[in-house]
Amino acid sequence: MAWHPRWGRRAQHTGQLMAVLALAALGGCATRPAATGSADRDGPLPNPPANLAQVPDAVPRIEPIRIGGPNKPYEVLGERYEPITADSAYVDRGIATWYGRKFHGRPTASGEVYNMYAMTAAHATLPIPSYARVRNPANGREVIVRINDRGPFHKGRIIDLSYTAALKLDLLRGAGPVEVRRITYAEIRAGTWPRPAEPAPVFVPDAPPAAPQRDTTATVAAAAGAWLQFGAFAKLDAAESLRQRVAEADLTLLPLLTIVREAGLHRLRAGPFPSADEARATAERLRADAGLEASLVPPR
């Protein structure tokens, strides 16, 4: 059984070798620690298949969960993880990353070969195999993935998506906030896991899938309520980077964070808050705890 950690697309961590050795002790590691040179950085493959946005989601089915192997407790970088083996519900919010060519064609924690174009994902504690619904709160898009790998092991990051899953959620440009909800065996048996039938919007990337998706954030008017603004940027990447920093400082803000394109700038905002006083209190707490500055958006 092959095991390896997932480090996120841009991570360079001095403890990676320790993590690899720890996982190797559990199951025999078939990978090598990430190098620091740019030639070994993860990313997309050239000339990906066409129409990846139309790849069907994983279809949940009952698959036995083997006790031991990828589902036994393990330790990475001093943190102990105990994978779930019961048919229990699970919901979490945090940062999602994706992994690509560096691991494409190599064994996952389940022993299956990783296919970056399939609808799969890595998670630190969900059963292997199992299924999860992943939602991007910034745009409302959802996908269903099959969990067949372990990782990521960065604070605040809760899932590593395949390339195609990240593309369908519009997360190829980098890390972004998501909600992960396990689909249990009870839901699969009862047939209650599908969403009510409704016309599904077709997502067509406005850049080739081989490249990070750029500037697909819709122009959004601020909804009723109080809003905070953390910054305004000419480049979307800068707003995305700040969104990740804010989310890592306070995961409870994940559902509230959004990037609004207004007057030619990408504005990172959080809201709506029930009142201006609550918004100001949140801004003061973030300033004190994380050194993050935010201002109240003037009402229109």
Side-chain angles (χ1 to χ4, degrees):
M1 181 65 64
W3 285 72
H4 54 78
R6 293 289 176 241
W7 301 104
R9 187 158 62 100
R10 300 177 180 174
Q12 297 296 337
H13 200 297
T14 57
Q16 289 180 0
L17 180 57
M18 293 172 58
V20 172
L21 293 176
L23 292 180
L26 291 175
C29 182
T31 189
R32 57 189 171 83
T36 57
S38 59
D40 201 42
R41 293 179 65 184
D42 202 2
L45 283 167
N47 304 316
N51 301 319
L52 286 177
Q54 280 71 53
V55 171
D57 285 357
V59 178
R61 60 190 178 91
I62 303 295
E63 296 186 71
I65 298 173
R66 181 162 59 89
I67 304 301
N71 293 310
K72 68 182 179 182
Y74 63 98
E75 185 173 307
V76 176
L77 297 175
E79 292 289 333
R80 182 173 174 80
Y81 299 88
E82 295 193 13
I84 300 167
T85 55
D87 189 35
S88 54
Y90 172 97
V91 181
D92 196 10
R93 291 168 177 166
I95 300 296
T97 46
W98 62 274
Y99 58 119
R101 66 169 184 261
K102 187 175 175 182
F103 301 98
H104 187 61
R106 299 172 68 172
T108 63
S110 66
E112 301 168 0
V113 172
Y114 175 55
N115 179 0
M116 63 188 287
Y117 301 128
M119 292 298 290
T120 62
H123 193 276
T125 58
L126 281 175
I128 291 180
S130 62
Y131 295 84
R133 188 185 305 276
V134 185
R135 179 176 182 271
N136 181 349
N139 54 31
R141 296 186 185 124
E142 294 185 351
V143 298
I144 295 176
V145 294
R146 182 171 180 270
I147 306 297
N148 70 347
D149 207 357
R150 288 290 175 229
F153 302 111
H154 266 270
K155 182 180 179 181
R157 297 186 184 182
I158 60 171
I159 195 166
D160 258 351
L161 301 165
S162 70
Y163 178 90
T164 299
L167 180 144
K168 293 177 70 174
L169 289 172
D170 194 19
L171 291 173
L172 281 184
R173 65 174 62 92
V178 295
E179 178 184 83
V180 177
R181 184 181 298 269
R182 181 188 178 189
I183 298 173
T184 64
Y185 285 173
E187 292 174 298
I188 297 172
R189 292 190 185 98
T192 58
W193 62 268
R195 293 294 194 198
E198 60 181 20
V202 177
F203 168 47
V204 180
D206 59 6
Q213 300 306 300
R214 298 291 179 183
D215 203 10
T216 57
T217 306
T219 301
V220 181
W227 288 74
L228 290 175
Q229 180 165 301
F230 293 89
F233 306 90
K235 293 186 176 180
L236 180 60
D237 282 353
E240 289 283 0
S241 178
L242 182 57
R243 177 165 65 175
Q244 179 180 345
R245 183 183 168 199
V246 174
E248 289 178 347
D250 186 348
L251 292 179
T252 64
L253 287 177
L254 279 173
L256 306 181
L257 289 171
T258 188
I259 296 174
V260 178
R261 190 168 66 234
E262 183 179 275
L265 294 176
H266 303 283
R267 304 172 187 271
L268 177 62
R269 291 176 178 172
F273 292 90
S275 68
D277 287 342
E278 185 169 332
R280 290 191 189 95
T282 300
E284 292 172 3
R285 176 170 51 78
L286 288 172
R287 183 182 300 111
D289 294 347
L292 292 166
E293 296 292 336
S295 59
L296 198 64
V297 178
R300 295 184 178 184

